[in-house]
């Protein structure tokens, strides 16, 4: 059974940085594209943020391009999201997932960008 455990969130001032981590168990991690998504308010849908393929090719939603960087370590079953130049509108609960598969998510990690 696949499990995702996100960590690294917190409270940061605008312009600050955070590095999110996600530990993935229960699947052959290196075989899957991974994604980060976020829910910006309770009751809202999760929005896609970034995708990283098995070999590290990345893609980002326009609003985070140039500020966020996704990476992965296939030896550790970990995926990361380095977030720089954070803005208040980046405030959200962030999740990692296998896009379009498994229909399960972790508890997420809260990111709050505020002065």
């Amino acid at each position: 059974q696949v499990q995702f455990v996100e960590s690294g969130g917190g409270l940061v001032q605008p312009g600050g940085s955070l590095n999110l981590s996600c530990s993935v168990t229960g699947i052959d991690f290196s075989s899957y594209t991974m994604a980060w998504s976020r829910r910006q308010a309770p009751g809202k849908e999760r929005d896609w943020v970034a995708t990283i393929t098995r070999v590290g090719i990345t893609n980002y939603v326009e609003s985070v391009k140039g500020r966020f960087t996704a990476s992965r370590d296939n030896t550790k079953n970990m995926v990361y999201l380095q977030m720089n130049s954070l803005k208040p509108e980046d405030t959200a609960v962030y999740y990692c997932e296998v896009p379009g598969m498994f229909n399960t998510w972790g508890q997420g990690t809260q990111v709050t960008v505020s002065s």
Side-chain angles (χ1 to χ4, degrees):
Q1 178 177 339
V2 62
Q3 288 190 319
F4 306 101
V5 179
E6 300 92 347
S7 62
L11 172 63
V12 64
Q13 292 187 341
S17 298
L18 285 172
N19 190 25
L20 306 185
S21 300
C22 177
S23 172
V24 184
T25 58
I27 58 173
D28 181 13
F29 177 79
S30 63
S31 297
Y32 291 93
T33 289
M34 296 298 301
W36 286 95
S37 60
R38 65 189 178 186
R39 192 191 306 274
Q40 292 179 297
K44 283 192 65 177
E45 293 291 319
R46 277 184 314 277
D47 296 319
W48 168 72
V49 174
T51 301
I52 181 165
T53 70
R54 295 175 299 163
V55 296
I57 297 170
T58 54
N59 197 14
Y60 304 93
V61 67
E62 192 65 33
S63 62
V64 308
K65 282 182 179 178
R67 301 188 298 120
F68 290 12
T69 303
S71 60
R72 64 190 293 163
D73 185 337
N74 288 341
T75 67
K76 297 181 179 179
N77 289 13
M78 296 289 294
V79 61
Y80 306 97
L81 187 67
Q82 176 66 43
M83 306 188 298
N84 298 328
S85 301
L86 282 160
K87 303 176 180 181
E89 52 264 41
D90 295 318
T91 295
V93 179
Y94 284 74
Y95 303 89
C96 69
E97 61 188 79
V98 179
M101 299 186 68
F102 303 115
N103 198 33
T104 187
W105 293 267
Q107 82 287 351
T109 187
Q110 175 72 50
V111 171
T112 303
V113 185
S114 174
S115 55

